[in-house]
Amino acid sequence: MQRHWLTLMAGSVLVMSMTAAHAQESDEGDFAFWDTDASGDISREEWDGGIANIRTGMQAEDDGNANEDDRAIYNMYRDYNEVDLNDDERIDSDEFERFQDGLENQ
């Protein structure tokens, strides 16, 4: 029984580390990074989860000392209402693209 428990635990750790690695590889500029349920739009909950992932990544870097670029990315993405242009509590791909274009022009 203990052997099976250890195997299960090792497998769980492997899956969690693979999931974390995938999340870290995702780019916050990618719509799919935010649209985690692949519904075609981004809810506030998904947005907040993406912000939490960015924050976690920043804390993991250099003993919690995020570099200037990481802090700037976090600050740009943290305001959901700035991206939800039509105030319908959903960010669709067009709104996200306009937001991305605005970032590139800054």
Side-chain angles (χ1 to χ4, degrees):
M1 179 71 172
Q2 185 177 8
R3 184 176 181 174
H4 293 290
W5 176 252
L6 291 174
T7 302
L8 177 63
M9 292 300 295
S12 297
V13 168
L14 178 61
V15 168
M16 288 184 341
S17 64
M18 289 171 57
T19 302
H22 175 70
Q24 289 175 351
E25 289 173 10
S26 296
D27 180 12
E28 60 275 341
D30 182 16
F31 188 79
F33 173 86
W34 301 96
D35 183 19
T36 57
D37 66 359
S39 65
D41 55 29
I42 304 165
S43 68
R44 183 172 295 277
E45 291 79 20
E46 288 173 310
W47 191 263
D48 291 344
I51 292 296
N53 286 338
I54 292 171
R55 187 177 329 121
T56 300
M58 286 175 15
Q59 291 169 343
E61 292 178 11
D62 300 323
D63 298 324
N65 296 318
N67 65 38
E68 210 171 296
D69 290 339
D70 288 339
R71 275 186 247 128
I73 289 170
Y74 173 76
N75 288 332
M76 283 187 279
Y77 281 95
R78 72 178 175 190
D79 188 5
Y80 182 87
N81 294 322
E82 188 174 313
V83 186
D84 181 19
L85 300 174
N86 63 2
D87 296 322
D88 67 350
E89 293 297 314
R90 307 305 265 177
I91 297 172
D92 63 31
S93 59
D94 291 336
E95 288 172 311
F96 187 78
E97 188 174 323
R98 282 186 293 226
F99 174 70
Q100 291 292 90
D101 290 345
L103 292 178
E104 291 173 7
N105 293 329
Q106 289 182 356

